[in-house]
Every structure is written in C-alpha cells, then in structure tokens.
Amino acid sequence: MNRRQFLIGCVTASMLLGIKPVFAAKLQYTEKTIRLWPGTPPGGGGPVGEMTLSMNGSVSNVRVPTLTIMTPPSPNGHGVLIAGGGGYKRIAIRLESRPAAEWLVARGYTAYILTYRLPDEGWKADALAPLQDAQRAIRIMKQREKKVSLLGFSSGGHLMGMAAVKSKFQSYEPQDEVDSLPATVDKAALIYPVITIEKPYDTTSSHHVLVGRKASDEKNAEWSIQNYVTPHSPPFFLVQAENDPVVSPQNTLIMKEICDRNHVPVTMYRYPKGGHGFALGKPNTPASEWPSHYELWLQDK
C-alpha cells in the first residue's frame, strides 16, 4: 500500500459512522454510513439540530451530509450513487433512494445512498452545496469501485445530471487526499429528472431553490444540464411519464436531443401514464418496466 492509499484509507475510516450486517427477506448486505467530509463541509454554515424525518420517510435539516453504503456479499465492482428527489427541499430516502439501493444490491451492485445538503438550509455554499457533496461522494467511490454510475430521481436526477456533465468543474477546494481523485463517472440514469430550469420550465421547486423565482436567463442557463453536454459526456438512461404534472415531460426530450446532437449514447423510456414520483414503478403499471431495461443498460459495456 502506497502513502496516498494509506492516507485515503485513514480519511475514510475517520468518517465512518456505523456498520451492520442486514438480512431482510433473503436480501443480504452489509450497511455502513460515513460522513462525506472530514470536518465542516466547504464554506460552512448549515442548519442546527437533528436531521428531520417526515411521515413519508423524506429527510431534511441535513446538518451532516453522508453516504450510506450497502454492499452485497459478492460485489461486482460497480458502485451506484443514488440521489432521491424532493425539490431540493427534502430527500425522498424511503420512497426512492432505499428501494433503488436494495434493488441494486440484490443484483450485485454496491449502492451508495447520498444524503446531500439542501441549499435552503443556510449553507454558505448555497446552490453549490449539493453538487459539492455529489462530487465528493464520487471521489470516495472511486477509491473503492472499478466502475461508478449515477442514479437520480426528480431533483436528485438534476443533481446527478449536473455531476455527470460537470465532472471537471471544481466546486470546492480540495480538503484531503480523496480530492486528488477525479469526479468522472461511467454512466448516469436520470428518472423523471429536472433537466432544464430555463423558461418556460422555470416553475419547479428545483428552480426556485437553486436560483430564485426571479433569476436571470443567464442564471437559469447556468443550472440547466443540457448546456453542459459534450461529446465526452457519459452515456445516459432517461425515464419519464408523459403525464408528469411536476416536471414537464419535455425535460427528457430536451436531454435526448442534446445527447444525440453530441453523439452521446442515450437510452430513453417514456410511458403514457405514471405521473411523477413513481420510483421503481407501481406493480402492474407500464412505468414498472423501467428497472428491467435499466438492468440491461447497466450490464452493457
């Protein structure tokens, strides 16, 4: 083991919050939660008190951003970073992140649930705080996995999309040896995602939280994923229902068009019905088909 590997290992060990084996309905995995940062997150600030858990299992008041790592008995070397949605006001852990993580673990993938900072909770980094957390999480994963993919839902899809297309953007000053690793990823799956917050698609909670209701056109463009897609962007997997009442169905069409234009591999599944927030899909509905397509896409070299 060289000095850099040793130092990175020490940093990770110092952030470890807990580890436990899980045996649930024949699904076996080891679960542990680590802090993303060795100290105060970049910029400082943030909320006070304990993290809040809503009745539907969404979290807010995220004072300590974390990664919950779920490792199967025989991991395949492919880690997937998962970001639940919630309009950047909360994170849908129970409805989106954890079901997706358990689905992945059952298929040999190591799942990394990201509990990221929310911009409206007093962080001095403001809108950059979630992206800082995502880039840090990717770098932590890089030291552990052969392949790193992203999976995001709704506003979590926006976060994962921004992380995928802005991997070379330095959102924070390096904190330790972990930050010497690149923030590039192999693939990104975005499920009913916010892609653009430019007009006329500036009515979402994601828009209001990230840039404000009266943001300039330039600011809206700055936080719209499609404006950063290049021929070097990773492959994308897109899912959305055509009757989505929260995020305009145009979002996935915009993303597919820009990917096609830049010759970036893109796979898209759209369903006539499903609304918004269907996660893995309600049983016996068309939208429940997407995980099987996603499984094949993940396996594709």
Side-chain angles (χ1 to χ4, degrees), residues 50-64:
E50 298 300 317
M51 187 166 63
T52 302
L53 180 66
S54 72
M55 292 293 290
N56 69 358
S58 295
V59 301
S60 56
N61 207 61
V62 180
R63 185 170 56 86
V64 180

Side-chain angles (χ1 to χ4, degrees), residues 202-242:
D202 57 347
T203 59
T204 61
S205 171
S206 295
H207 171 272
H208 302 339
V209 172
L210 289 172
V211 299
R213 294 175 182 268
K214 297 181 180 181
S216 66
D217 291 345
E218 290 76 16
K219 200 68 175 177
N220 290 340
E222 181 184 344
W223 286 94
S224 293
I225 296 168
Q226 77 276 10
N227 295 325
Y228 299 99
V229 174
T230 73
H232 303 292
S233 297
F236 286 94
F237 180 92
L238 308 173
V239 173
Q240 193 166 24
E242 294 174 359

Side-chain angles (χ1 to χ4, degrees), residues 22-200:
V22 177
F23 306 92
K26 297 183 180 179
L27 180 61
Q28 299 182 18
Y29 56 90
T30 300
E31 179 176 328
K32 64 181 177 182
T33 298
I34 65 171
R35 295 172 180 262
L36 280 177
W37 305 96
T40 303
V48 297
E50 298 300 317
M51 187 166 63
T52 302
L53 180 66
S54 72
M55 292 293 290
N56 69 358
S58 295
V59 301
S60 56
N61 207 61
V62 180
R63 185 170 56 86
V64 180
T66 61
L67 266 184
T68 297
I69 306 170
M70 298 164 58
T71 307
S74 300
N76 62 12
H78 190 159
V80 181
L81 181 64
I82 305 166
Y88 284 110
K89 292 182 176 180
R90 62 193 66 84
I91 308 169
I93 300 293
R94 185 186 301 166
L95 296 179
E96 294 175 340
S97 300
R98 184 158 286 273
E102 292 181 350
W103 184 93
L104 285 160
V105 166
R107 288 156 179 80
Y109 297 89
T110 301
Y112 294 75
I113 297 176
L114 179 63
T115 301
Y116 51 92
R117 285 173 289 160
L118 301 168
D120 263 359
E121 295 188 341
W123 297 101
K124 292 182 181 178
D126 198 25
L128 273 180
L131 183 58
Q132 291 174 345
D133 290 346
Q135 289 190 333
R136 174 72 177 188
I138 291 166
R139 291 182 169 114
I140 290 172
M141 293 171 67
K142 284 283 197 176
Q143 62 183 316
R144 300 168 51 94
E145 307 291 343
K146 295 178 181 177
K147 295 183 68 175
V148 173
S149 294
L150 308 179
L151 173 60
F153 299 84
S154 192
S155 57
H158 179 269
L159 176 57
M160 294 294 93
M162 289 294 281
V165 298
K166 298 195 72 175
S167 60
K168 294 184 178 180
F169 171 65
Q170 185 175 331
S171 65
Y172 62 91
E173 292 297 323
Q175 306 291 300
D176 52 37
E177 289 288 325
V178 173
D179 292 324
S180 65
L181 298 172
T184 54
V185 300
D186 295 284
K187 293 184 172 186
L190 312 180
I191 315 303
Y192 42 89
V194 175
I195 296 296
T196 183
I197 61 169
E198 294 185 276
K199 295 176 181 179

